Amino acid sequence: MTKKLWDKGYEVNKEVEDFIVGNDYALDMQLVKYDCIASIAHARMLGRIGILNKKEVKMLVSELNSIIVLWENGDFKISKEQEDMHTAIENRLTEKLGGPGKKIHTGRSRNDQVLTALRLYYKDSLKECISLSEQLITSMKAFSSKYGEIALPGYTHTRKAMPSSVGLWTGAFIDSMKDNIKLLNGVFEIVDQSPLGTAAGYGSPITLDREFTARELGFARVQENPIYVQMSRGKFEASILHAISQIMLDFNKIASDLIVFSMPELGYYELPVNFTTGSSMMPNKKNPDILERMRANYHVMMAYESEVKGISGNLMTGYNGDIQLTKEPMLNGFSLAKRSIRIGSLLFMNLRVNRKNCKRGLTEDVYATHSEYNLVHQGMPFRDAYTQVGRKYSGKE
Amino acid sequence: MTKKLWDKGYEVNKEVEDFIVGNDYALDMQLVKYDCIASIAHARMLGRIGILNKKEVKMLVSELNSIIVLWENGDFKISKEQEDMHTAIENRLTEKLGGPGKKIHTGRSRNDQVLTALRLYYKDSLKECISLSEQLITSMKAFSSKYGEIALPGYTHTRKAMPSSVGLWTGAFIDSMKDNIKLLNGVFEIVDQSPLGTAAGYGSPITLDREFTARELGFARVQENPIYVQMSRGKFEASILHAISQIMLDFNKIASDLIVFSMPELGYYELPVNFTTGSSMMPNKKNPDILERMRANYHVMMAYESEVKGISGNLMTGYNGDIQLTKEPMLNGFSLAKRSIRIGSLLFMNLRVNRKNCKRGLTEDVYATHSEYNLVHQGMPFRDAYTQVGRKYSGKE
Amino acid sequence: MTKKLWDKGYEVNKEVEDFIVGNDYALDMQLVKYDCIASIAHARMLGRIGILNKKEVKMLVSELNSIIVLWENGDFKISKEQEDMHTAIENRLTEKLGGPGKKIHTGRSRNDQVLTALRLYYKDSLKECISLSEQLITSMKAFSSKYGEIALPGYTHTRKAMPSSVGLWTGAFIDSMKDNIKLLNGVFEIVDQSPLGTAAGYGSPITLDREFTARELGFARVQENPIYVQMSRGKFEASILHAISQIMLDFNKIASDLIVFSMPELGYYELPVNFTTGSSMMPNKKNPDILERMRANYHVMMAYESEVKGISGNLMTGYNGDIQLTKEPMLNGFSLAKRSIRIGSLLFMNLRVNRKNCKRGLTEDVYATHSEYNLVHQGMPFRDAYTQVGRKYSGKE
Amino acid sequence: MTKKLWDKGYEVNKEVEDFIVGNDYALDMQLVKYDCIASIAHARMLGRIGILNKKEVKMLVSELNSIIVLWENGDFKISKEQEDMHTAIENRLTEKLGGPGKKIHTGRSRNDQVLTALRLYYKDSLKECISLSEQLITSMKAFSSKYGEIALPGYTHTRKAMPSSVGLWTGAFIDSMKDNIKLLNGVFEIVDQSPLGTAAGYGSPITLDREFTARELGFARVQENPIYVQMSRGKFEASILHAISQIMLDFNKIASDLIVFSMPELGYYELPVNFTTGSSMMPNKKNPDILERMRANYHVMMAYESEVKGISGNLMTGYNGDIQLTKEPMLNGFSLAKRSIRIGSLLFMNLRVNRKNCKRGLTEDVYATHSEYNLVHQGMPFRDAYTQVGRKYSGKE
């Protein structure tokens, strides 16, 4: 059964339909569980306010749970003609249950329905990113315990500057990841509002119990204003992607460092050989593809973010069809973030430090600032000490 | 057989491999034909320079043609372990032919191989975009022949300004599409250089006949410098996406106009009902989703462009693993462009103009500039005429 | 006196210097006060740890306060040769005070110095944005008190959907601004860490009292890891610009709505005539330039954000000269945000609602969902009610 | 005299005016000459079609030439109240000449006027970029003549790959710059259309001689369709910025290479000491700020491009006030491009190659591919030769 929810007796032009639906029906396959969970809460609420009787609620809840099981086993499908999961699910409910299926959509619209499913997905995914980041911090700490005390040169402007250490370097990323988690938590709190019950963006002609569904679904509060609910699609998405892009930026920097610091010419850090790849032609190559992909993925995430932000601009309030296209970068963005954090942990569990090369790198110039401060300790004003020591390094020309 | 081309006796960590390969192997499924065509030219050239004998060339050409047929029938597969099409194809050649398969990679690297396959794909796709754009112009002209003479208000600042016409409006997009085609042709010319024979970016220890393969593959010329060949990946891609983003910008504008001009409150243009979609809750709705998706797709294309440009920045010369990630936005970008131009033609074949509403829209204020010029024709300096007529419209406050 | 802080006896090529300094010296004119405040705290700390004696501290504090006064009166200048405010200030201190001037830089580098000045500026500016946003909410509430109860059509897909009201519309933006403030506060908390005392990114050979300077400068805590301090430049900036871009997105939406809703063809909202501009040629025009600029500024802010994020990518840890170029988009971004919020308040203080046009807009189709729910209240399953009412609206074709 | 061109007897709210005008009046200071040149052509055309008599034309041409001289001497000012150069110039003409000044705007609008001035500026600037790029190629060739034959390692994945040479490296950028020039020329051709005479975007009630003004101003052709003329603002700008961003990408790559290749640890290339800068604290530092700024500027240019592209999206045809904000990134973009190409030439005139370090870098592994091809020449199939030589390099683990 592939009746559209908005069927009014005419068929949409096939090519137009293909163009509009795009791969939305396929993307929805990642969200079916969340849509069912939201529908269960909605059905229970319809029971409370007298739209459904107890038996109808029970039938709907049971069938929705069946769909979740089907989906978990890979046996629930959404066809392109059905457009999306909402249609596929309502069609199935009506097919299996008749009347109750035709009542499930009372008091809601796909507009608040998709927002609810997405928001449940975002909340789960944000929590997973936070938990993976905590595991990553654990991996970093283990790495630092093992190698942290090793001294090596610190660089500025890609030039040796002053002495640093593996622990200092790792610690920077640990602290940064902690701040990333703060940012993720801050965004989580903003996102943690229930959109369910705002219908198409202007409320519903019948009075719903929005507090009940919010509670059932574990939202911290109800997002009251229905126009704001619609407005926040695209907007919350942008903040989510921004927050996870900050994790990606850290990986970009880790990778940028390690690509240079593990060049044989410097050799401070080393990847195990089974973390490297070869060339199809040059037998000598062991390439840090893993690091290059980490570096590049920051830009991929930025593209997702700018896609969402671009799509959301210059649109009036009220749902606009444009906003459907933010679903893909969101699903892709979370998937990329999770994969990246996992591979980041793996990296720190396997990364090695070459003590000998680190020591060799600590050439005399790295201690120039220390020489200068020896003069300061002897009472010379800082700027005079700088000038005196500096002469040594400018005369090389 | 899934031996990697760079197999040196160790296995890459499975998670690392998954992370590095990503969905590259799946994306390559769109490019198999081009890689085979390039390999055929390469095999013939190896015959000419004495690396392969005639029989070997014949065997390779024949087997490569078989792979193309298999692929066209959906029977050629690339597994994740094979990483990419290059590996899958070489593995098959070696499996089927033995020795000649092991020789096919002489004088090349995957670096110039993938560039060649992509460039053949780009050239075909650019030509297709140009040809589709020409069909679109034909649709626009037909639309203009039918409705062009109808007068309606022209707007500036989303406010009525002066009289315009359907023909003037359509003509603007026809002219713009012609300039888009110029831009596409300009980019085509730059891209039309053969990278084959530059190996890993520093040439090959054996002398190849690059002119021969360039000619065989229909390239206008050889791209001589091997470092430039590598550098131009990401760079040419950016120019291609920029050029097709200009088509998308036109559609964005067409959509932005029609969304407002087909509001029932104005009603100048009308979509046929089977080009509209409905709401799951509000029975009154007929939504211009097709136009909203056209509008949004401009931002999707911009994201692809900025992804490619972002990935390409701050990288040294010589191949970097980051650049592999430009493949996906390129394939997606061309696919989106082609779909968009096709749907654009369909739109103009079905779009309607409501004469009555256009006429009703031509209110008296639309002719204020004409009143002013009547005074100019009577000899009044322009600025005085402006001030005199202007008084009428400012007095409303 | 224009001696460079890093003078080692050679002169930089003039064109190179111009290229490197760019307009940094001019931008720094906005930050002089913050750099002096940070230097005062640093001088006091140097007193505590025995690098400066009491008299020297007093002289430095007094002269730094004089510079603040000079700057407030527009009498402090930075020349291009001085490169930046740090140099101009240290030069002046040495010129006026001799020895103490030469000691002020003990234990710090321009790297942590500029971070401190910027961070003080960011904190002030974030607070100002929050406070301006609160004033904006007050203006919106006043607007809603005056016009809030007026009903008008709510739109989805730029098509009439269901009844809405001025109060509902305004309320959406009030709620959104409240969430923006949460986001700004969240970013403020992350930014509120003292970088002072981390020197060039690898700490200082002498032990500083970082808790003291953090307290003096009003930072919530010390940002311990010096490598993280450097890494957070570009990173914190991105989060700040993201947060303020969310304010700009709201203005973009307010503007997008009002541009259409104040078209004479709809006429729900009206700008006072002295908020509109005219055409140089068409005497009839009253253009909503103010709204168009609000709409466009979202994209300007996004460009600042992507500039900062782009510059920060693919860089190793440790200070890189690239990052200096993030200063301009930050200063411009805050300036734009503050101007925008102020003009937003002014807009809501002057915006009008046309009751007659709102009423006229509430055509019968806007109540289709209500008709449908009448059938639901009579016991008809929702989907059947939808189909029944829907027939009326699809039959028009 | 600061009368606005659209004065209709009311004053715009001062804060609104400030917000709308922004710094447009200041930016226009770079364009005054072009606006005068276009006005001279327009005045002559008005003479030809009988709107102005010979004496009036002469007076206007003479006064416009005076303004150009004033401007060249820095004596022509535009006040914020005047909004823009168009107003300042027309005000002055009327003040000096009376009647003829009031007639100069006949048949045009600021909309086509600003387009004409900008386009003349773009054409000059594109030509300058092309000419500077040719000088850059000359500098590169001179560099290559001096050092080209020096061999050094070529890198892929930031790892040594195969032997390369300074000449090969420089040649890559020479070829790339030649393709950049092609792209610039292609964009120049598209831009080279006269917008003058399309008035506010819907033509003029009087018949103008557009061929005449196009010829006078040196445009290759008339851009016929007035709606397309307006549409092309933002669109042509995007193509221009894209084209010059490709130059910036090359500099980004040159800088990325040289930053690493001039690390003392590798030392292949060297900057003269007076091209480097120091640290305020670390006396040992000689930093390649020039290269870092070159690298970062690519991202600045991308931000300009995405700003223009973002502003131009989701706008209806006909002039929109948003588009005024594209002026700043265009002026900044050209200024940055010109500065960058100049500094690029200077860089190649001063860059040095360290022969000793290049030679030292050519370690044995760089020749692994050559060993492999020795086996190929002895008749071993390529893949077997790869495996045999490869064993040597994988055994290190």
Side-chain angles (χ1 to χ4, degrees), chain A residues 318-356:
Chain A
Y319 180 80
N320 296 285
D322 315 58
I323 217 76
Q324 181 181 299
L325 296 188
T326 60
K327 198 186 276 172
E328 186 161 358
M330 291 309 296
L331 294 172
N332 287 347
F334 268 121
S335 164
L336 179 58
K338 293 172 197 170
R339 258 181 298 138
S340 297
I341 312 176
R342 276 196 202 94
I343 211 78
S345 284
L346 189 72
L347 175 70
F348 276 95
M349 286 189 277
N350 288 277
L351 185 65
R352 298 167 193 176
V353 182
N354 184 313
R355 282 171 196 273
K356 206 182 59 184

Side-chain angles (χ1 to χ4, degrees), chain C residues 229-274:
Chain C
V229 167
Q230 286 306 315
M231 258 178 67
S232 60
R233 192 161 175 209
K235 189 170 155 72
F236 285 3
E237 276 75 0
S239 284
I240 289 170
L241 288 178
H242 169 72
I244 62 181
S245 83
Q246 295 305 290
I247 299 174
M248 305 306 283
L249 175 58
D250 285 2
F251 285 128
N252 177 279
K253 205 165 268 302
I254 289 167
S256 296
D257 268 0
L258 291 180
I259 286 169
V260 171
F261 289 156
S262 69
M263 287 175 79
E265 291 89 334
L266 285 80
Y268 307 139
Y269 293 87
E270 287 172 356
L271 289 176
V273 73
N274 70 337

Side-chain angles (χ1 to χ4, degrees), chain A residues 31-81:
Chain A
L31 301 169
V32 168
K33 184 181 73 177
Y34 297 106
D35 203 36
C36 289
I37 289 169
S39 285
I40 288 170
H42 184 66
R44 288 199 173 122
M45 188 275 295
L46 291 177
R48 280 171 70 94
I49 65 169
I51 297 285
L52 298 176
N53 62 37
K54 280 190 181 167
K55 197 184 148 203
E56 288 171 322
V57 173
K58 206 174 158 189
M59 286 166 74
L60 285 165
V61 170
S62 161
E63 186 55 30
L64 285 161
N65 277 318
S66 304
I67 295 173
I68 294 177
V69 174
L70 277 175
W71 174 78
E72 285 170 343
N73 297 330
D75 294 331
F76 186 79
K77 302 284 177 230
I78 307 169
S79 70
K80 191 157 196 169
E81 292 68 36

Side-chain angles (χ1 to χ4, degrees), chain C residues 25-309:
Chain C
Y25 75 102
L27 295 171
D28 268 4
M29 280 304 295
Q30 296 181 53
L31 300 168
V32 168
K33 186 180 71 177
Y34 297 106
D35 202 37
C36 289
I37 290 171
S39 286
I40 288 170
H42 185 67
R44 289 201 172 121
M45 188 274 294
L46 291 177
R48 280 171 69 95
I49 65 169
I51 299 285
L52 300 175
N53 63 35
K54 279 193 184 169
K55 197 183 148 204
E56 288 171 323
V57 173
K58 207 174 158 188
M59 285 165 75
L60 284 165
V61 170
S62 162
E63 186 55 31
L64 284 162
N65 277 318
S66 303
I67 294 173
I68 295 178
V69 174
L70 276 175
W71 174 78
E72 285 171 345
N73 297 329
D75 294 330
F76 186 79
K77 302 284 175 232
I78 307 168
S79 70
K80 191 156 195 170
E81 292 68 36
Q82 288 170 324
E83 298 186 327
D84 54 34
M85 60 182 170
H86 317 301
T87 307
I89 294 168
E90 185 176 321
N91 278 349
R92 186 182 168 92
L93 293 175
T94 305
E95 198 175 8
K96 293 277 172 189
L97 313 176
K102 292 180 177 183
K103 292 182 181 170
I104 182 71
H105 208 59
T106 317
R108 74 178 182 190
S109 180
R110 280 186 298 185
N111 289 355
D112 63 331
Q113 206 182 339
V114 68
L115 265 158
T116 308
L118 282 170
R119 222 164 268 185
L120 293 171
Y121 164 79
Y122 296 156
K123 286 180 59 187
D124 268 12
S125 293
L126 282 168
K127 273 187 205 154
E128 192 177 343
C129 286
I130 290 167
S131 146
L132 288 168
S133 297
E134 284 161 352
Q135 289 166 39
L136 170 65
I137 290 174
T138 305
S139 298
M140 286 172 163
K141 284 184 176 164
F143 174 76
S144 194
S145 300
K146 199 166 169 188
Y147 297 111
E149 95 298 346
I150 300 175
L152 83 177
Y155 285 71
T156 64
H157 302 268
T158 322
R159 297 290 174 268
K160 285 183 191 173
M162 283 176 62
S164 178
S165 75
V166 172
L168 199 68
W169 181 79
T170 317
F173 291 104
I174 291 171
D175 286 359
S176 189
M177 282 292 163
K178 286 180 185 167
D179 278 347
N180 293 339
I181 291 172
K182 274 189 202 168
L183 193 60
L184 289 167
N185 275 320
V187 170
F188 184 96
E189 268 181 54
I190 290 172
V191 169
D192 195 11
Q193 313 186 40
S194 177
L196 192 58
T198 54
Y202 300 98
S204 175
I206 57 167
T207 305
L208 310 169
D209 187 344
R210 296 193 59 200
E211 291 291 344
F212 174 80
T213 46
R215 217 162 40 235
E216 283 280 298
L217 294 170
F219 282 107
R221 65 194 181 287
V222 167
Q223 189 174 14
E224 292 294 347
N225 189 297
I227 296 181
Y228 180 41
V229 167
Q230 286 306 315
M231 258 178 67
S232 60
R233 192 161 175 209
K235 189 170 155 72
F236 285 3
E237 276 75 0
S239 284
I240 289 170
L241 288 178
H242 169 72
I244 62 181
S245 83
Q246 295 305 290
I247 299 174
M248 305 306 283
L249 175 58
D250 285 2
F251 285 128
N252 177 279
K253 205 165 268 302
I254 289 167
S256 296
D257 268 0
L258 291 180
I259 286 169
V260 171
F261 289 156
S262 69
M263 287 175 79
E265 291 89 334
L266 285 80
Y268 307 139
Y269 293 87
E270 287 172 356
L271 289 176
V273 73
N274 70 337
F275 272 57
T276 67
T277 55
S279 155
S280 70
M281 177 182 111
M282 300 175 290
N284 50 314
K285 300 287 295 180
K286 289 201 286 285
N287 296 325
D289 269 283
I290 179 177
L291 300 174
E292 294 171 298
R293 229 61 102 247
M294 286 176 81
R295 184 171 59 179
N297 280 334
Y298 170 57
H299 302 282
V300 176
M301 190 66 81
M302 277 208 286
Y304 293 150
E305 185 182 349
S306 80
E307 187 174 349
V308 164
K309 286 185 166 170

Side-chain angles (χ1 to χ4, degrees), chain A residues 155-157 159 259 262 265 279-281 284-287 292 313-314 365 372 383 386 393 397, chain D residues 155-157 159 259 262 265 279-281 284-287 292 313-314 352 365 372 383 386 393:
Chain A
Y155 284 71
T156 64
H157 302 267
R159 298 287 173 271
I259 287 169
S262 68
E265 289 90 334
S279 156
S280 69
M281 177 181 110
N284 52 314
K285 300 287 295 178
K286 289 201 286 284
N287 297 324
E292 294 171 297
N314 294 23
D365 53 313
E372 169 193 71
R383 190 55 63 206
Y386 176 93
Y393 293 93
E397 177 62 13
Chain D
Y155 285 70
T156 65
H157 302 268
R159 298 286 174 272
I259 287 169
S262 69
E265 289 90 336
S279 156
S280 70
M281 176 182 111
N284 52 315
K285 298 288 293 178
K286 288 200 287 286
N287 297 324
E292 295 170 297
N314 293 23
R352 297 167 193 176
D365 53 313
E372 168 193 70
R383 190 56 62 207
Y386 177 94
Y393 293 94

